[in-house]
Amino acid sequence: MYVITGATGNVGRPLVRTLAAAGAKVRAISRHAPEALPARPLPAGALPAGALPAGVEHHRADLADPESLREAVSGAEAFFLLVSGAGAHLDVPAIVDVVRAAGVRRIVALSSQAAGTRPGAVSHAPLRALEDTVRGSGLEWVLLRPGGFVSNTLAWAEQVRTSRTVSSPFGDVGLPLVHPGDIAEVAAAALQDQKHHKQVYTLTGPKPISPRQRAAALAAALREPVPFFDQPVEEAREQMLTFMPAPVVDGTLDIIGAPTPEEQRVSPDVERVLGRPPRTFATWLSANIDAFR
């Protein structure tokens, strides 16, 4: 039995599907009840947000209330920990206490590449604390450190639909953005096999791609022009502050504007775990292009 938190999100949803498709018993945890779907093959990206395959157990629980997890983790072998934001609002040691008391053997935690590349950054201090707690839990553990997600491109969707333009800061700075499906498949492997114990996997895409290049790929997929405009950094910051805490906004802008050489480097870890190269931005875009029409 595998317990998945954040089960209706960009990583949790494909992780649940991957495990269920392999015949594993899965308990999906979210704060709200998901929409049930028949267990039939669907194209990538076809599940509505929040949907879970038939046969997957769902438990309503909230990481902000660790006691609400007790029933869900009972009898589980492994636990996937995904926190919203940087997890600063959570008592991660209390969460781990509940998981350990239930007899769970293995914990796989989603962190961030910046927890390693920017150890002094205030924005990622909660994730570094989360990693320390997981390492010291006494359980088998795996840490996943993805870079930027290709799915963050969906932030452009409304602008592309309404004006067929893209505006973003740092238009020519490329990062090897990772496909959420690759994160999910690495997580599934780590949950199911103890050989990954004490591994820290940095997860990236196959090559750096800049915002301007992503806009060009969107234009090609839509078969119409999508002009790119360099957005002033302060304007981008004001927009981001509407849905992210200031330290996280500043940390994110630092990464996308002035990445370190390590943050621009393609990691071998997706291929190392899955035995295949990471998915490309084009692969993600072909499955999600309808969001931009």
Side-chain angles (χ1 to χ4, degrees):
M1 174 67 73
Y2 304 101
V3 175
I4 311 302
T5 62
T8 57
N10 284 336
V11 173
R13 197 155 31 110
L15 174 54
V16 168
R17 292 203 303 267
T18 298
L19 291 168
K25 293 182 179 180
V26 183
R27 286 183 185 147
I29 295 179
S30 65
R31 288 179 296 171
H32 307 288
E35 176 187 353
L37 284 184
R40 63 181 186 277
L42 291 171
L47 287 178
L52 296 174
V56 172
E57 292 183 30
H58 177 260
H59 286 249
R60 294 182 69 172
D62 190 340
L63 290 177
D65 176 14
E67 288 299 317
S68 70
L69 295 169
R70 285 198 184 274
E71 182 181 353
V73 296
S74 176
E77 176 182 358
F79 179 78
F80 180 69
L81 177 60
L82 186 158
V83 301
S84 60
H89 59 297
L90 300 176
D91 185 346
V92 176
I95 293 169
V96 171
D97 285 346
V98 170
V99 170
R100 184 173 49 236
V104 172
R105 294 173 46 206
R106 186 176 307 124
I107 183 167
V108 177
L110 188 67
S111 182
S112 168
Q113 183 184 30
T117 58
R118 296 173 184 260
V122 175
S123 56
H124 290 80
L127 286 175
R128 292 193 298 277
L130 178 149
E131 290 189 355
D132 290 343
T133 298
V134 169
R135 282 189 172 104
S137 66
L139 306 175
E140 295 175 15
W141 58 264
V142 182
L143 297 176
L144 307 183
R145 289 177 170 176
F149 289 19
V150 293
S151 52
N152 290 344
T153 307
L154 288 170
W156 298 347
E158 183 176 357
Q159 184 181 9
V160 173
R161 286 195 304 266
T162 57
S163 68
R164 282 297 188 262
T165 63
V166 167
S167 58
S168 181
F170 314 115
D172 295 308
V173 178
L175 289 168
L177 305 178
V178 64
H179 194 299
D182 287 345
I183 302 172
E185 289 188 28
V186 171
L191 286 164
Q192 295 178 93
D193 196 330
Q194 69 182 87
K195 74 179 182 181
H196 300 284
H197 177 39
K198 293 187 178 179
Q199 294 299 305
V200 180
Y201 293 127
T202 298
L203 307 180
T204 72
K207 65 178 182 179
I209 184 169
S210 70
R212 196 181 307 275
Q213 290 169 325
R214 283 186 282 151
L218 269 168
L222 292 168
R223 298 184 179 181
E224 55 185 288
V226 180
F228 179 88
F229 298 96
D230 279 298
Q231 185 180 31
V233 176
E234 278 308 311
E235 180 180 290
R237 186 175 188 275
E238 288 302 315
Q239 290 180 356
M240 295 166 71
L241 284 170
T242 63
F243 58 90
M244 295 167 65
V248 177
V249 170
D250 293 334
T252 300
L253 288 171
D254 284 344
I255 292 169
I256 66 175
T260 67
E262 186 175 354
E263 288 163 349
Q264 292 188 294
R265 189 175 300 124
V266 173
S267 168
D269 287 349
V270 169
E271 187 162 7
R272 178 178 155 204
V273 175
L274 301 180
R276 60 160 178 80
R279 293 177 174 97
T280 64
F281 176 74
T283 298
W284 177 86
L285 185 59
S286 66
N288 292 275
I289 190 60
D290 285 347
F292 301 91
R293 294 194 189 283

